[in-house]
mmCIF file of all heavy atoms in Angstrom:
data_model
loop_
_atom_site.group_PDB
_atom_site.id
_atom_site.type_symbol
_atom_site.label_atom_id
_atom_site.label_comp_id
_atom_site.label_asym_id
_atom_site.label_seq_id
_atom_site.Cartn_x
_atom_site.Cartn_y
_atom_site.Cartn_z
ATOM 1 N N VAL A 407 235.626 155.553 -24.871
ATOM 2 C CA VAL A 407 235.659 155.690 -23.421
ATOM 3 C C VAL A 407 234.600 154.803 -22.773
ATOM 4 O O VAL A 407 234.860 154.104 -21.790
ATOM 5 C CB VAL A 407 235.462 157.162 -23.012
ATOM 6 C CG1 VAL A 407 235.335 157.274 -21.496
ATOM 7 C CG2 VAL A 407 236.630 158.016 -23.503
ATOM 8 N N ALA A 408 233.389 154.792 -23.338
ATOM 9 C CA ALA A 408 232.316 153.955 -22.814
ATOM 10 C C ALA A 408 232.668 152.473 -22.931
ATOM 11 O O ALA A 408 232.338 151.677 -22.040
ATOM 12 C CB ALA A 408 231.012 154.242 -23.551
ATOM 13 N N GLU A 409 233.341 152.090 -24.021
ATOM 14 C CA GLU A 409 233.747 150.698 -24.191
ATOM 15 C C GLU A 409 234.719 150.276 -23.095
ATOM 16 O O GLU A 409 234.637 149.176 -22.553
ATOM 17 C CB GLU A 409 234.395 150.495 -25.572
ATOM 18 C CG GLU A 409 233.475 150.702 -26.748
ATOM 19 C CD GLU A 409 232.422 149.619 -26.868
ATOM 20 O OE1 GLU A 409 232.703 148.471 -26.512
ATOM 21 O OE2 GLU A 409 231.298 149.930 -27.294
ATOM 22 N N PHE A 410 235.650 151.160 -22.749
ATOM 23 C CA PHE A 410 236.623 150.849 -21.715
ATOM 24 C C PHE A 410 235.988 150.807 -20.319
ATOM 25 O O PHE A 410 236.467 150.123 -19.430
ATOM 26 C CB PHE A 410 237.769 151.870 -21.731
ATOM 27 C CG PHE A 410 238.873 151.519 -22.676
ATOM 28 C CD1 PHE A 410 238.921 152.067 -23.945
ATOM 29 C CD2 PHE A 410 239.864 150.637 -22.309
ATOM 30 C CE1 PHE A 410 239.940 151.752 -24.829
ATOM 31 C CE2 PHE A 410 240.887 150.311 -23.181
ATOM 32 C CZ PHE A 410 240.926 150.871 -24.452
ATOM 33 N N GLN A 411 234.916 151.543 -20.104
ATOM 34 C CA GLN A 411 234.256 151.572 -18.802
ATOM 35 C C GLN A 411 233.312 150.404 -18.599
ATOM 36 O O GLN A 411 232.888 150.118 -17.482
ATOM 37 C CB GLN A 411 233.508 152.894 -18.644
ATOM 38 C CG GLN A 411 234.422 154.108 -18.525
ATOM 39 C CD GLN A 411 233.681 155.416 -18.507
ATOM 40 O OE1 GLN A 411 232.508 155.483 -18.900
ATOM 41 N NE2 GLN A 411 234.349 156.474 -18.065
ATOM 42 N N ASN A 412 232.959 149.721 -19.692
ATOM 43 C CA ASN A 412 232.041 148.594 -19.629
ATOM 44 C C ASN A 412 232.833 147.298 -19.480
ATOM 45 O O ASN A 412 233.620 146.945 -20.361
ATOM 46 C CB ASN A 412 231.179 148.559 -20.900
ATOM 47 C CG ASN A 412 230.075 147.522 -20.844
ATOM 48 O OD1 ASN A 412 230.210 146.459 -20.238
ATOM 49 N ND2 ASN A 412 228.962 147.830 -21.491
ATOM 50 N N ASN A 413 232.615 146.573 -18.370
ATOM 51 C CA ASN A 413 233.372 145.342 -18.135
ATOM 52 C C ASN A 413 233.134 144.283 -19.207
ATOM 53 O O ASN A 413 233.965 143.410 -19.426
ATOM 54 C CB ASN A 413 233.028 144.763 -16.764
ATOM 55 C CG ASN A 413 233.738 145.492 -15.642
ATOM 56 O OD1 ASN A 413 234.754 146.157 -15.865
ATOM 57 N ND2 ASN A 413 233.216 145.364 -14.428
ATOM 58 N N ARG A 414 231.998 144.361 -19.897
ATOM 59 C CA ARG A 414 231.684 143.365 -20.914
ATOM 60 C C ARG A 414 232.413 143.645 -22.207
ATOM 61 O O ARG A 414 232.788 142.736 -22.938
ATOM 62 C CB ARG A 414 230.174 143.322 -21.162
ATOM 63 C CG ARG A 414 229.718 142.216 -22.108
ATOM 64 C CD ARG A 414 228.205 142.214 -22.277
ATOM 65 N NE ARG A 414 227.722 143.450 -22.826
ATOM 66 C CZ ARG A 414 227.694 143.708 -24.144
ATOM 67 N NH1 ARG A 414 228.128 142.825 -25.029
ATOM 68 N NH2 ARG A 414 227.215 144.870 -24.574
ATOM 69 N N THR A 415 232.646 144.929 -22.517
ATOM 70 C CA THR A 415 233.247 145.291 -23.799
ATOM 71 C C THR A 415 234.668 145.817 -23.686
ATOM 72 O O THR A 415 235.305 146.086 -24.699
ATOM 73 C CB THR A 415 232.380 146.357 -24.501
ATOM 74 O OG1 THR A 415 232.280 147.531 -23.665
ATOM 75 C CG2 THR A 415 230.986 145.818 -24.782
ATOM 76 N N ASN A 416 235.181 145.998 -22.463
ATOM 77 C CA ASN A 416 236.521 146.534 -22.261
ATOM 78 C C ASN A 416 237.559 145.598 -22.867
ATOM 79 O O ASN A 416 237.760 144.478 -22.391
ATOM 80 C CB ASN A 416 236.781 146.707 -20.756
ATOM 81 C CG ASN A 416 238.106 147.395 -20.477
ATOM 82 O OD1 ASN A 416 238.990 147.492 -21.330
ATOM 83 N ND2 ASN A 416 238.264 147.865 -19.259
ATOM 84 N N PRO A 417 238.258 146.011 -23.940
ATOM 85 C CA PRO A 417 239.214 145.100 -24.587
ATOM 86 C C PRO A 417 240.403 144.772 -23.698
ATOM 87 O O PRO A 417 240.946 143.673 -23.778
ATOM 88 C CB PRO A 417 239.645 145.875 -25.842
ATOM 89 C CG PRO A 417 239.397 147.316 -25.512
ATOM 90 C CD PRO A 417 238.193 147.328 -24.613
ATOM 91 N N LEU A 418 240.807 145.716 -22.823
ATOM 92 C CA LEU A 418 241.909 145.432 -21.900
ATOM 93 C C LEU A 418 241.506 144.329 -20.936
ATOM 94 O O LEU A 418 242.288 143.402 -20.677
ATOM 95 C CB LEU A 418 242.300 146.697 -21.137
ATOM 96 C CG LEU A 418 243.382 146.520 -20.053
ATOM 97 C CD1 LEU A 418 244.700 146.072 -20.687
ATOM 98 C CD2 LEU A 418 243.568 147.820 -19.265
#
Side-chain angles (χ1 to χ4, degrees):
V407 173
E409 295 290 327
F410 273 97
Q411 292 174 342
N412 187 327
N413 282 339
R414 186 179 61 84
T415 60
N416 186 343
L418 176 63

